[in-house]
Amino acid sequence: MKKKHLSSVLAVLVALAVCAALALPAAAADTAGYAAEVARLVNAERAKAGLPALAADTALAAAAQSRAQETATSFSHTRPDGREWHTVLAEQGITYRRAGENIAYGQKTPAEVVTGWMNSQGHRENILGNFTRIGVGVYEKNGVLYWAQLFTNVESGGAKNLFSIY
């Protein structure tokens, strides 16, 4: 009798553990770590192409984080309020000669998103382009990751701002 009772108790405990595991939300992504890894992978791609590394820029990263959040609302190079994507740069006090933006969503890892960008001509051109600085933003909403990369060059004497988007 004791053996049967113990088996029943174990079965109930296993059932409760399974139910509890199913009720737990999925672990949140390490978005800050993911952003740093994207920047590292981009610089690895640049090194393979014989290009200098891009400097991580905290203001540019803040702008990229804003863009990643915005793309969760409206996946576009136009901001949800209708302004062009590059207006986020001025909001962070960023001056530049040339700027570019790559956005993506749904990829689960930094390697997956960088591979996707490298397999797309326009995104690849930004990654391997004539830029000196990078900022990466990653935002998670409802289990979906939204990614944004911003690239700039240091502003140079009175030149017009040039943009590239992909």
Side-chain angles (χ1 to χ4, degrees):
M1 189 79 158
K2 285 184 181 181
K3 209 174 201 183
K4 186 175 182 182
H5 178 67
L6 183 58
S7 295
S8 296
V9 169
L10 285 175
V12 169
L13 289 174
V14 167
L16 287 173
V18 168
C19 289
L22 292 174
L24 289 176
D30 174 13
T31 55
Y34 279 11
E37 179 64 2
V38 166
R40 188 192 72 74
L41 291 169
V42 163
N43 279 330
E45 292 294 340
R46 289 178 64 83
K48 283 189 232 175
L51 298 169
L54 300 172
D57 183 292
T58 55
L60 201 53
Q65 187 62 33
S66 291
R67 289 295 297 133
Q69 291 174 346
E70 290 175 353
T71 61
T73 301
S74 173
F75 189 75
S76 172
H77 292 290
T78 301
R79 299 177 75 185
D81 65 6
R83 292 180 295 155
E84 294 185 35
W85 70 269
H86 56 85
T87 59
V88 73
L89 300 173
E91 290 172 6
Q92 292 295 325
I94 298 167
T95 58
Y96 54 93
R97 162 76 173 95
R98 184 169 183 253
E101 175 180 67
N102 287 346
I103 58 175
Y105 76 96
Q107 297 81 0
K108 301 199 182 304
T109 67
E112 189 178 335
V113 75
V114 171
T115 297
W117 281 328
M118 289 302 290
N119 288 327
S120 164
Q121 182 180 348
H123 295 102
R124 180 183 180 88
E125 288 172 1
N126 272 347
I127 289 170
L128 301 179
N130 185 23
F131 294 110
T132 57
R133 300 182 293 173
I134 187 172
V136 179
V138 184
Y139 178 68
E140 183 176 6
K141 181 178 181 183
N142 299 326
V144 177
L145 293 173
Y146 294 83
W147 309 81
Q149 289 181 307
L150 297 178
F151 304 90
T152 62
N153 276 348
V154 176
E155 182 180 39
S156 60
K160 285 187 166 183
N161 292 331
L162 305 171
F163 307 104
S164 59
I165 54 174
Y166 297 98

